[in-house]
PDB file of all heavy atoms in Angstrom:
ATOM      1  N   THR A 291     -41.377 151.793 196.293  1.00 91.00           N
ATOM      2  CA  THR A 291     -42.574 151.240 196.733  1.00 91.00           C
ATOM      3  C   THR A 291     -42.675 151.385 198.235  1.00 91.00           C
ATOM      4  O   THR A 291     -41.837 150.909 198.958  1.00 91.00           O
ATOM      5  CB  THR A 291     -42.643 149.707 196.348  1.00 91.00           C
ATOM      6  OG1 THR A 291     -42.502 149.529 194.934  1.00 91.00           O
ATOM      7  CG2 THR A 291     -43.936 149.149 196.785  1.00 91.00           C
ATOM      8  N   HIS A 292     -43.748 152.049 198.644  1.00 79.00           N
ATOM      9  CA  HIS A 292     -43.968 152.305 200.117  1.00 79.00           C
ATOM     10  C   HIS A 292     -44.377 150.991 200.758  1.00 79.00           C
ATOM     11  O   HIS A 292     -44.774 150.041 200.048  1.00 79.00           O
ATOM     12  CB  HIS A 292     -45.117 153.316 200.209  1.00 79.00           C
ATOM     13  CG  HIS A 292     -45.337 153.914 201.504  1.00 79.00           C
ATOM     14  ND1 HIS A 292     -46.233 153.338 202.405  1.00 79.00           N
ATOM     15  CD2 HIS A 292     -44.745 154.997 202.109  1.00 79.00           C
ATOM     16  CE1 HIS A 292     -46.237 154.163 203.517  1.00 79.00           C
ATOM     17  NE2 HIS A 292     -45.356 155.061 203.333  1.00 79.00           N
ATOM     18  N   HIS A 293     -44.277 150.875 202.044  1.00 76.00           N
ATOM     19  CA  HIS A 293     -44.610 149.689 202.749  1.00 76.00           C
ATOM     20  C   HIS A 293     -46.044 149.303 202.545  1.00 76.00           C
ATOM     21  O   HIS A 293     -46.547 148.125 202.877  1.00 76.00           O
ATOM     22  CB  HIS A 293     -44.287 149.795 204.286  1.00 76.00           C
ATOM     23  CG  HIS A 293     -45.087 150.912 205.021  1.00 76.00           C
ATOM     24  ND1 HIS A 293     -46.284 150.745 205.443  1.00 76.00           N
ATOM     25  CD2 HIS A 293     -44.671 152.101 205.300  1.00 76.00           C
ATOM     26  CE1 HIS A 293     -46.734 151.863 206.036  1.00 76.00           C
ATOM     27  NE2 HIS A 293     -45.723 152.706 205.977  1.00 76.00           N
ATOM     28  N   THR A 294     -46.911 150.233 202.132  1.00 78.00           N
ATOM     29  CA  THR A 294     -48.266 149.985 201.785  1.00 78.00           C
ATOM     30  C   THR A 294     -48.513 149.374 200.486  1.00 78.00           C
ATOM     31  O   THR A 294     -49.566 148.882 200.138  1.00 78.00           O
ATOM     32  CB  THR A 294     -49.136 151.207 201.841  1.00 78.00           C
ATOM     33  OG1 THR A 294     -48.703 152.169 200.823  1.00 78.00           O
ATOM     34  CG2 THR A 294     -49.095 151.935 203.177  1.00 78.00           C
ATOM     35  N   GLY A 295     -47.440 149.329 199.663  1.00 85.00           N
ATOM     36  CA  GLY A 295     -47.468 148.791 198.330  1.00 85.00           C
ATOM     37  C   GLY A 295     -47.710 149.792 197.274  1.00 85.00           C
ATOM     38  O   GLY A 295     -47.519 149.507 196.067  1.00 85.00           O
ATOM     39  N   ALA A 296     -47.920 151.015 197.589  1.00 86.00           N
ATOM     40  CA  ALA A 296     -48.143 152.093 196.656  1.00 86.00           C
ATOM     41  C   ALA A 296     -46.790 152.654 196.205  1.00 86.00           C
ATOM     42  O   ALA A 296     -45.834 152.647 196.930  1.00 86.00           O
ATOM     43  CB  ALA A 296     -49.024 153.234 197.319  1.00 86.00           C
ATOM     44  N   GLU A 297     -46.754 153.176 194.941  1.00 94.00           N
ATOM     45  CA  GLU A 297     -45.605 153.820 194.497  1.00 94.00           C
ATOM     46  C   GLU A 297     -45.446 155.279 195.073  1.00 94.00           C
ATOM     47  O   GLU A 297     -46.526 155.920 195.118  1.00 94.00           O
ATOM     48  CB  GLU A 297     -45.572 153.920 192.975  1.00 94.00           C
ATOM     49  CG  GLU A 297     -44.285 154.541 192.402  1.00 94.00           C
ATOM     50  CD  GLU A 297     -44.226 154.658 190.922  1.00 94.00           C
ATOM     51  OE1 GLU A 297     -45.256 155.089 190.348  1.00 94.00           O
ATOM     52  OE2 GLU A 297     -43.248 154.230 190.389  1.00 94.00           O
ATOM     53  N   VAL A 298     -44.308 155.638 195.484  1.00 96.00           N
ATOM     54  CA  VAL A 298     -44.076 156.993 196.116  1.00 96.00           C
ATOM     55  C   VAL A 298     -42.879 157.679 195.333  1.00 96.00           C
ATOM     56  O   VAL A 298     -42.035 156.989 194.796  1.00 96.00           O
ATOM     57  CB  VAL A 298     -43.856 156.969 197.606  1.00 96.00           C
ATOM     58  CG1 VAL A 298     -45.037 156.424 198.370  1.00 96.00           C
ATOM     59  CG2 VAL A 298     -42.564 156.235 197.879  1.00 96.00           C
ATOM     60  N   ALA A 299     -42.974 158.991 195.256  1.00 97.00           N
ATOM     61  CA  ALA A 299     -41.806 159.681 194.779  1.00 97.00           C
ATOM     62  C   ALA A 299     -40.863 159.976 195.878  1.00 97.00           C
ATOM     63  O   ALA A 299     -41.289 160.258 197.037  1.00 97.00           O
ATOM     64  CB  ALA A 299     -42.334 160.995 194.137  1.00 97.00           C
ATOM     65  N   VAL A 300     -39.552 159.972 195.605  1.00 97.00           N
ATOM     66  CA  VAL A 300     -38.551 160.277 196.584  1.00 97.00           C
ATOM     67  C   VAL A 300     -37.845 161.555 196.198  1.00 97.00           C
ATOM     68  O   VAL A 300     -37.445 161.735 195.042  1.00 97.00           O
ATOM     69  CB  VAL A 300     -37.512 159.124 196.663  1.00 97.00           C
ATOM     70  CG1 VAL A 300     -36.477 159.471 197.790  1.00 97.00           C
ATOM     71  CG2 VAL A 300     -38.201 157.848 196.881  1.00 97.00           C
ATOM     72  N   GLY A 301     -37.688 162.452 197.194  1.00 97.00           N
ATOM     73  CA  GLY A 301     -36.974 163.716 196.939  1.00 97.00           C
ATOM     74  C   GLY A 301     -36.365 164.131 198.239  1.00 97.00           C
ATOM     75  O   GLY A 301     -36.544 163.571 199.278  1.00 97.00           O
ATOM     76  N   LYS A 302     -35.543 165.252 198.224  1.00 96.00           N
ATOM     77  CA  LYS A 302     -34.837 165.731 199.358  1.00 96.00           C
ATOM     78  C   LYS A 302     -35.034 167.250 199.591  1.00 96.00           C
ATOM     79  O   LYS A 302     -35.067 168.030 198.693  1.00 96.00           O
ATOM     80  CB  LYS A 302     -33.304 165.409 199.289  1.00 96.00           C
ATOM     81  CG  LYS A 302     -33.077 163.915 199.179  1.00 96.00           C
ATOM     82  CD  LYS A 302     -31.617 163.689 199.144  1.00 96.00           C
ATOM     83  CE  LYS A 302     -31.316 162.123 199.173  1.00 96.00           C
ATOM     84  NZ  LYS A 302     -29.909 161.828 199.220  1.00 96.00           N
ATOM     85  N   VAL A 303     -34.985 167.616 200.935  1.00 96.00           N
ATOM     86  CA  VAL A 303     -34.921 168.970 201.313  1.00 96.00           C
ATOM     87  C   VAL A 303     -33.644 169.124 202.139  1.00 96.00           C
ATOM     88  O   VAL A 303     -33.615 168.460 203.253  1.00 96.00           O
ATOM     89  CB  VAL A 303     -36.156 169.361 202.133  1.00 96.00           C
ATOM     90  CG1 VAL A 303     -35.987 170.785 202.758  1.00 96.00           C
ATOM     91  CG2 VAL A 303     -37.449 169.251 201.286  1.00 96.00           C
ATOM     92  N   GLU A 304     -32.676 169.775 201.742  1.00 92.00           N
ATOM     93  CA  GLU A 304     -31.374 169.918 202.430  1.00 92.00           C
ATOM     94  C   GLU A 304     -30.815 168.541 202.873  1.00 92.00           C
ATOM     95  O   GLU A 304     -30.416 168.358 203.951  1.00 92.00           O
ATOM     96  CB  GLU A 304     -31.585 170.837 203.667  1.00 92.00           C
ATOM     97  CG  GLU A 304     -31.961 172.204 203.373  1.00 92.00           C
ATOM     98  CD  GLU A 304     -32.152 173.038 204.558  1.00 92.00           C
ATOM     99  OE1 GLU A 304     -31.557 172.809 205.594  1.00 92.00           O
ATOM    100  OE2 GLU A 304     -32.938 174.068 204.500  1.00 92.00           O
ATOM    101  N   GLY A 305     -30.937 167.525 201.914  1.00 89.00           N
ATOM    102  CA  GLY A 305     -30.442 166.201 202.146  1.00 89.00           C
ATOM    103  C   GLY A 305     -31.327 165.319 202.908  1.00 89.00           C
ATOM    104  O   GLY A 305     -31.057 164.211 203.111  1.00 89.00           O
ATOM    105  N   PHE A 306     -32.479 165.907 203.433  1.00 93.00           N
ATOM    106  CA  PHE A 306     -33.488 165.145 204.237  1.00 93.00           C
ATOM    107  C   PHE A 306     -34.462 164.500 203.240  1.00 93.00           C
ATOM    108  O   PHE A 306     -35.161 165.125 202.431  1.00 93.00           O
ATOM    109  CB  PHE A 306     -34.170 166.086 205.178  1.00 93.00           C
ATOM    110  CG  PHE A 306     -35.085 165.421 206.150  1.00 93.00           C
ATOM    111  CD1 PHE A 306     -34.600 164.824 207.319  1.00 93.00           C
ATOM    112  CD2 PHE A 306     -36.432 165.430 205.934  1.00 93.00           C
ATOM    113  CE1 PHE A 306     -35.424 164.218 208.176  1.00 93.00           C
ATOM    114  CE2 PHE A 306     -37.345 164.817 206.767  1.00 93.00           C
ATOM    115  CZ  PHE A 306     -36.867 164.232 207.948  1.00 93.00           C
ATOM    116  N   VAL A 307     -34.649 163.184 203.385  1.00 94.00           N
ATOM    117  CA  VAL A 307     -35.480 162.462 202.459  1.00 94.00           C
ATOM    118  C   VAL A 307     -36.974 162.584 202.722  1.00 94.00           C
ATOM    119  O   VAL A 307     -37.367 162.372 203.915  1.00 94.00           O
ATOM    120  CB  VAL A 307     -35.070 160.929 202.398  1.00 94.00           C
ATOM    121  CG1 VAL A 307     -35.974 160.163 201.538  1.00 94.00           C
ATOM    122  CG2 VAL A 307     -33.618 160.807 201.994  1.00 94.00           C
ATOM    123  N   LEU A 308     -37.802 162.885 201.666  1.00 96.00           N
ATOM    124  CA  LEU A 308     -39.212 162.861 201.752  1.00 96.00           C
ATOM    125  C   LEU A 308     -39.760 161.752 200.866  1.00 96.00           C
ATOM    126  O   LEU A 308     -39.266 161.658 199.670  1.00 96.00           O
ATOM    127  CB  LEU A 308     -39.797 164.177 201.313  1.00 96.00           C
ATOM    128  CG  LEU A 308     -39.575 165.453 202.159  1.00 96.00           C
ATOM    129  CD1 LEU A 308     -40.271 166.599 201.450  1.00 96.00           C
ATOM    130  CD2 LEU A 308     -40.004 165.229 203.530  1.00 96.00           C
ATOM    131  N   PHE A 309     -40.720 160.925 201.420  1.00 95.00           N
ATOM    132  CA  PHE A 309     -41.376 159.967 200.550  1.00 95.00           C
ATOM    133  C   PHE A 309     -42.825 160.513 200.287  1.00 95.00           C
ATOM    134  O   PHE A 309     -43.567 160.696 201.229  1.00 95.00           O
ATOM    135  CB  PHE A 309     -41.515 158.677 201.380  1.00 95.00           C
ATOM    136  CG  PHE A 309     -40.145 157.957 201.530  1.00 95.00           C
ATOM    137  CD1 PHE A 309     -39.483 158.185 202.751  1.00 95.00           C
ATOM    138  CD2 PHE A 309     -39.522 157.271 200.558  1.00 95.00           C
ATOM    139  CE1 PHE A 309     -38.306 157.547 203.053  1.00 95.00           C
ATOM    140  CE2 PHE A 309     -38.258 156.670 200.810  1.00 95.00           C
ATOM    141  CZ  PHE A 309     -37.624 156.847 202.000  1.00 95.00           C
ATOM    142  N   VAL A 310     -43.106 160.813 199.038  1.00 97.00           N
ATOM    143  CA  VAL A 310     -44.295 161.543 198.666  1.00 97.00           C
ATOM    144  C   VAL A 310     -45.305 160.536 198.039  1.00 97.00           C
ATOM    145  O   VAL A 310     -45.135 159.974 197.118  1.00 97.00           O
ATOM    146  CB  VAL A 310     -43.951 162.694 197.675  1.00 97.00           C
ATOM    147  CG1 VAL A 310     -45.257 163.438 197.366  1.00 97.00           C
ATOM    148  CG2 VAL A 310     -42.930 163.574 198.177  1.00 97.00           C
ATOM    149  N   GLU A 311     -46.437 160.467 198.815  1.00 96.00           N
ATOM    150  CA  GLU A 311     -47.545 159.581 198.462  1.00 96.00           C
ATOM    151  C   GLU A 311     -48.596 160.330 197.557  1.00 96.00           C
ATOM    152  O   GLU A 311     -48.546 161.538 197.416  1.00 96.00           O
ATOM    153  CB  GLU A 311     -48.261 159.137 199.773  1.00 96.00           C
ATOM    154  CG  GLU A 311     -47.422 158.450 200.735  1.00 96.00           C
ATOM    155  CD  GLU A 311     -48.075 158.231 202.088  1.00 96.00           C
ATOM    156  OE1 GLU A 311     -49.097 158.818 202.396  1.00 96.00           O
ATOM    157  OE2 GLU A 311     -47.461 157.556 202.883  1.00 96.00           O
ATOM    158  N   ASP A 312     -49.542 159.553 197.010  1.00 95.00           N
ATOM    159  CA  ASP A 312     -50.667 160.040 196.304  1.00 95.00           C
ATOM    160  C   ASP A 312     -50.103 160.801 195.032  1.00 95.00           C
ATOM    161  O   ASP A 312     -50.791 161.850 194.653  1.00 95.00           O
ATOM    162  CB  ASP A 312     -51.561 160.939 197.044  1.00 95.00           C
ATOM    163  CG  ASP A 312     -52.055 160.171 198.297  1.00 95.00           C
ATOM    164  OD1 ASP A 312     -52.413 159.009 198.103  1.00 95.00           O
ATOM    165  OD2 ASP A 312     -52.268 160.775 199.350  1.00 95.00           O
ATOM    166  N   ILE A 313     -49.118 160.282 194.316  1.00 96.00           N
ATOM    167  CA  ILE A 313     -48.584 160.962 193.186  1.00 96.00           C
ATOM    168  C   ILE A 313     -49.389 160.641 191.965  1.00 96.00           C
ATOM    169  O   ILE A 313     -49.911 159.514 191.827  1.00 96.00           O
ATOM    170  CB  ILE A 313     -47.100 160.614 192.957  1.00 96.00           C
ATOM    171  CG1 ILE A 313     -46.881 159.105 192.788  1.00 96.00           C
ATOM    172  CG2 ILE A 313     -46.192 161.181 194.041  1.00 96.00           C
ATOM    173  CD1 ILE A 313     -45.518 158.658 192.428  1.00 96.00           C
ATOM    174  N   PRO A 314     -49.599 161.564 191.067  1.00 95.00           N
ATOM    175  CA  PRO A 314     -50.348 161.318 189.820  1.00 95.00           C
ATOM    176  C   PRO A 314     -49.436 160.494 188.834  1.00 95.00           C
ATOM    177  O   PRO A 314     -48.209 160.576 189.005  1.00 95.00           O
ATOM    178  CB  PRO A 314     -50.712 162.710 189.307  1.00 95.00           C
ATOM    179  CG  PRO A 314     -49.609 163.584 189.836  1.00 95.00           C
ATOM    180  CD  PRO A 314     -49.258 162.988 191.193  1.00 95.00           C
ATOM    181  N   SER A 315     -50.071 159.983 187.914  1.00 93.00           N
ATOM    182  CA  SER A 315     -49.262 159.179 186.905  1.00 93.00           C
ATOM    183  C   SER A 315     -48.585 160.227 185.970  1.00 93.00           C
ATOM    184  O   SER A 315     -49.031 161.397 185.939  1.00 93.00           O
ATOM    185  CB  SER A 315     -50.124 158.318 186.056  1.00 93.00           C
ATOM    186  OG  SER A 315     -51.197 159.092 185.409  1.00 93.00           O
ATOM    187  N   GLY A 316     -47.548 159.778 185.310  1.00 94.00           N
ATOM    188  CA  GLY A 316     -46.807 160.684 184.420  1.00 94.00           C
ATOM    189  C   GLY A 316     -45.683 161.513 184.923  1.00 94.00           C
ATOM    190  O   GLY A 316     -45.003 162.168 184.238  1.00 94.00           O
TER     191      GLY A 316
END
């Protein structure tokens, strides 16, 4: 859950964390 309250996906690039917003359902 992002600080805005929205759900975000979490993933990594070379161990570096990305928080991805505006994800579709499913």
